Amino acid sequence: SSEDMNKLEASAKLLGKTTAFSASEVAGLQLELSKLGFAKNVEELLDMEEGILSVAQAFDKDLGETAASVGQTLRQFNIPASQAAKVTDVMAVAFGQTALDLENFSSGMANVGPIAADAGLSLEETTTLLGILANNGIAGADAGTKLKMALTNIRAAGLDVGDTLKEITAGSFDFDESLGLLGKRAQI
């Protein structure tokens, strides 16, 4: 509606004056979220802006790309838009404490996010795994693919993903057992 458009425009102008980003960049954020279907509730979209602005500014990232990554992650983990700050908080912690960055997070989540969510892993658990992989030189789409393969193999064996990952990290399986469980392709 025109009322919604006016709200979006007013927000873009205000944030363009009061943040490090221009009104045009904020409009790009709004456009990315709209393309992901978040424009159905303009108030939720407006509530999402602050966290996205904070992450993009803190890590010197493009606002539209950051918005797309946050929006896609919300969708992958079936997290309501009203909890977008949760996603941006997880991203900020991961980007600040691991070798993970926006590009690697986005491309990794594109491959593993839906599978991880379906397997019962939380956003935090999945991000932690991507961060560990990034710290060890496996990042981006490659990390997401390897993690997706590992999760798929665990599920194919009929095991609970969360419990199995805890057992692997606790050393309950020897190398050969872990390799058999996760699959040779997942460890390459």
Side-chain angles (χ1 to χ4, degrees):
S1 73
S2 64
E3 182 181 336
D4 288 344
M5 291 301 294
N6 289 338
K7 286 180 184 179
L8 291 170
E9 183 179 355
S11 177
K13 286 180 180 179
L14 175 64
L15 293 170
K17 289 179 185 177
T18 59
T19 69
F21 297 100
S22 69
S24 176
E25 289 171 311
V26 175
L29 171 159
Q30 294 169 343
L31 176 62
E32 289 302 321
L33 293 176
S34 295
K35 289 195 283 187
L36 291 168
F38 292 105
K40 294 173 187 166
N41 184 334
V42 170
E43 296 305 321
E44 277 188 339
L45 188 149
L46 295 172
D47 288 343
M48 295 171 69
E49 291 176 333
E50 185 178 334
I52 294 168
L53 286 161
S54 295
V55 170
Q57 184 173 353
F59 296 96
D60 195 27
K61 297 298 176 187
D62 177 79
L63 206 46
E65 290 174 22
T66 304
S69 183
V70 170
Q72 290 162 356
T73 303
L74 287 166
R75 294 290 191 227
Q76 290 164 342
F77 285 89
N78 200 28
I79 299 170
S82 61
Q83 294 182 26
K86 171 185 174 177
V87 175
T88 58
D89 288 348
V90 168
M91 291 168 72
V93 169
F95 299 172
Q97 295 181 357
T98 71
L100 205 56
D101 61 18
L102 179 65
E103 292 79 12
N104 289 324
F105 175 85
S106 299
S107 59
M109 279 296 183
N111 287 334
V112 75
I115 300 297
D118 188 56
L121 292 180
S122 68
L123 167 64
E124 294 85 351
E125 291 167 326
T126 307
T127 302
T128 298
L129 291 170
L130 288 174
I132 290 168
L133 290 170
N135 286 350
N136 288 283
I138 304 168
D142 191 33
T145 299
K146 289 178 186 328
L147 189 52
K148 176 176 73 172
M149 291 159 119
L151 297 177
T152 301
N153 287 338
I154 291 170
R155 292 182 80 192
L159 301 171
D160 178 84
V161 171
D163 290 342
T164 304
L165 289 175
K166 286 177 189 167
E167 289 180 31
I168 290 171
T169 57
S172 298
F173 295 108
D174 66 23
F175 178 76
D176 289 331
E177 290 171 324
S178 296
L179 188 60
L181 181 61
L182 299 178
K184 290 182 181 182
R185 294 194 65 205
Q187 62 113 11
I188 296 173

